[in-house]
Every structure is written in structure tokens, then in C-alpha cells.
Amino acid sequence: MRTTVGIIGAGPAGLLLARLLHNAGIDSVVLESRDRAYVERRQRAGILEQGTVDVLRAAGVGARMDREGLPHDGIELRFDRRRHRVDFPGLTGGRSVMVYAQTEVCKDLIAARLADGGPLLFEAEALAVEGAESDTPRVRYRHEGSEQVLECDYVVGCDGFWGVARAAVPEALSATYERTYPFGWLGILADVAPSHDELVYARSDRGFALLSMRSPTVTRAYLQVPEGTDADAFTHEEIWDELDRRLEVDDPDWRLARGPITATSVTPMRSYVHEPMRHGRLFLAGDAAHIVPPTGAKGLNLAVGDVVTFARALTAHLAEGDPTLLDAYSATCLRRVWQAERFSYAMTTMLHRAPDATAFDDRIQLARLDRVTTSRAAETDLAEAYTGFPL
């Protein structure tokens, strides 16, 4: 089989790239190691930046998002028993975010891909990327019990941190930067209406908590827990009790609504960047090239930025014969990636209490939060970063 662009991975990045290329008249083949049901149910990110929302709409896959997604014009910060709302549109000239789960984004993109008739192969395990430095790179993959080869003009690796794409970049040409945090997030889904109409980020002496949602009837919430914690280490009552403690404020009118917890999971926290994001005709996108702690809600949105950059660059190259944008792909993406890493690191270290935190560390965190909530300049910086860096 032959195509212009071979896409490894049918997460939101790979599927969106296929859609963008289709709209530009460029053929592609998407290879996904898992089955369709798995892709459409795996729980991941739920916050879409303004730029991501705009891209999905422009690509013709935003109709259900606009019907069922939850637009959010701000977040609430809680600390020292205080609460402060960050007004996104008022600080950014009208930008906001959308709560719409990654699972739903994938469902929309899969439906569009199948309607377009473009090749989308589930249970097609990519084994290796070969010939990345040549004009005809190849992806070896296994599908329906046999090993096959996808011949391409370009390969885009959207196959995550453990995929084969990054492994095709020679180690001698690679540089990696990373930080592992000594805590993770215990996440829950609960059948109960959210207790607040916007996300709540809470810093307490007991650790961080996040109150989020998946729909008007489903709550998503997170607790900071020690690294390596088992998802079943706490009873459901203990989880609700701890959320209550960490979200506590001096407001008699606010109450945490409790309900049946339907799922629990633990997410590790790390920051990671691989440079460069291009080797020959192999391009890395999303978690294949970078990972951010979820505090800043940047992971999915960074992946969208990568594939938008690639699609624009390839379209310009094929239409005009100018490789300038393609040659600049890695540098262009990395500028945005490092700003997202900066923001995610700043949010994580401002809101999470380290296991070895001292009284001095606690006071610095409170001072940082006080600065954000009393300085329009500092608050604007947070709002601009949260709603998204330019694509």
C-alpha cells in the first residue's frame, strides 16, 4: 500500500491530521494498534483551548462539540480558604475554553474519517519506521495476522511516548529533557452533577485537588496522591472526604455534591521534551515528542498545534514547491511546546505540595497565588496561557 502521508496513531492528533489533509486534497493512511472501541472509550484530556475549538470547527468536525460541549469562561483558584475566579474573556480579549472529552473528539473524527472513505486501519500495529532519511520512508506494520509495508512520502508519528516513531530518530541526533514529579493524580468519574459550573483548582496543606466535569450530570475530580499510589487504595467515601477537606473555603453556601463513583485511575506526573521533532521525512507529534503534567490542560492541545503546523507546512510545500515551513516544523512546534511546558510546570509547582515541602515552600506557594489573584498582569499571563498559545 502507498500513500502521501502515513500516520501512526488514531488518537486525536492522528485523526485530526488525517482530516486536515483530506480537506486539503492530500491522501493519507492511519494505522492504529488498538481496536475502535478502545480508542473511543479511553479517558484522557477534557479541556479544549480556544485555538483547538476553532480548528475543529474549521475542519468541519465541531457540530457535536458545539451542541454538547460546555463552554467555560474561567476557572476558580482556591487557597488559604479563599476563592478567586479568573475571567478568561475579560483578560484575553474574548478567548475561552471548552469542556469536551477526548473520547468525544475521537468519536467525531473517526466518524468523519469513515464518511470520507479514507483508510483507517484499526488493530494495525506499527513495528518500525524505515528509511526516514530517504524520499520514500516506510512503515512496517502487522494487520490481520500478516506483516505489511506502508510506503509513504512522509510519516507522522502520533503514536505516543511508547510508540515506534521516536525510536526511528537516531540517538546521536536526539536530546531529551524531562522531570518526574513525586506525586500523581487520583482521578474519579462520578454520576453526580458538578458542584461548580467552572473548574476549581485548589491548593491546600493536604495537597492539590481539582474539581472538573465531563457533562452536566457527570463529575470529574482529582486528588494529588504519592507517586505509585494504587487506584484502589482508598474507599469512595475516603475520596469524597478528602476532596471536601482540600476544597474547603470560608463560604457557607458552597457544598461538594457526592454521588456514585463509576471509575478511578491514577495518572503519573512528568514533563518531557524530545528534540528535534523531525528527522528526514519523519515528523513527531503529540506525546511522541512531548509530555506535560495535566495541571495546565495542555497535552491534547499541544498535539493539535503540532498537526496543524504540519498540515499547513505540507500543503504549502505541495502547492508552491516551497519547503520553508516544513523545514521549520520542529523549531516552530518547539517554541510553543516549551511555553506550554513552562506554564504547566508553573501551575504544578504553585498548586501541589511536595512530600518534602518546608514552611518556606508553603509561604512561597501562597505568595505566588496571592500575586496571581491581586495583579492583573500576572492573572492575564495565566489566562492567556490557559486559553492557548497561538497556533
Side-chain angles (χ1 to χ4, degrees), residues 31-83:
L31 305 176
E32 168 57 45
S33 62
R34 303 282 194 162
D35 62 26
R36 179 177 178 179
Y38 179 88
V39 174
E40 292 187 338
R41 70 171 181 263
R42 57 185 167 191
Q43 293 292 330
R44 293 290 188 273
I47 304 295
L48 307 183
E49 296 174 354
Q50 181 72 64
T52 297
V53 170
D54 294 342
V55 165
L56 293 172
R57 287 171 176 159
V61 288
R64 193 164 72 92
M65 172 191 69
D66 283 332
R67 289 196 309 270
E68 300 178 11
L70 305 175
H72 278 210
D73 287 337
I75 59 173
E76 182 172 288
L77 298 175
R78 293 189 182 186
F79 63 100
D80 206 21
R81 301 182 64 86
R82 297 157 52 190
R83 54 194 306 188

Side-chain angles (χ1 to χ4, degrees), residues 78-81 202-209 224 242 245-247 351-355 357-359 361-363 365-366:
R78 293 189 182 186
F79 63 100
D80 206 21
R81 301 182 64 86
R203 183 267 175 205
S204 80
D205 290 340
R206 301 181 65 88
F208 169 76
Q224 176 188 341
E242 191 60 28
R245 295 184 191 102
R246 298 188 191 185
L247 291 162
L351 293 165
H352 294 74
R353 195 170 192 277
T358 66
D361 297 326
D362 292 337
R363 297 299 292 180
Q365 282 187 321
L366 293 173

Side-chain angles (χ1 to χ4, degrees), residues 2 43 53 107-108 110 126 132 135 208 239 242 247 290:
R2 195 178 199 302
Q43 293 292 330
V53 170
K107 289 175 186 175
D108 296 341
I110 288 171
D135 291 340
F208 169 76
I239 292 172
E242 191 60 28
L247 291 162
H290 43 73

Side-chain angles (χ1 to χ4, degrees), residues 76-85 200-203 246-251 366-367 369-374:
E76 182 172 288
L77 298 175
R78 293 189 182 186
F79 63 100
D80 206 21
R81 301 182 64 86
R82 297 157 52 190
R83 54 194 306 188
H84 175 88
R85 181 175 185 269
V200 177
Y201 287 76
R203 183 267 175 205
R246 298 188 191 185
L247 291 162
E248 195 171 22
V249 288
D250 289 331
D251 183 347
L366 293 173
L369 284 159
D370 187 64
R371 173 69 177 172
V372 167
T373 57
T374 59

Side-chain angles (χ1 to χ4, degrees), residues 90-143:
L91 294 162
T92 65
R95 296 172 67 83
S96 60
V97 298
M98 179 82 75
V99 174
Y100 192 62
Q102 175 175 310
T103 50
E104 306 311 309
V105 174
C106 287
K107 289 175 186 175
D108 296 341
L109 289 167
I110 288 171
R113 178 68 172 177
L114 296 177
D116 293 339
L120 169 54
L121 278 61
F122 291 104
E123 299 181 86
E125 180 188 5
L127 303 174
V129 178
E130 301 172 340
E133 296 177 330
S134 73
D135 291 340
T136 55
R138 302 172 302 280
V139 182
R140 280 196 302 108
Y141 67 100
R142 184 181 295 110
H143 183 55

Side-chain angles (χ1 to χ4, degrees), residues 11 14 22 24 46 57 75 89 93 110 121 177 184 240 298-299 305 320 345 361:
H22 171 81
R57 287 171 176 159
I75 59 173
I110 288 171
L121 278 61
Y177 308 87
W240 286 120
K298 290 284 161 268
E320 304 164 15
Y345 173 83
D361 297 326

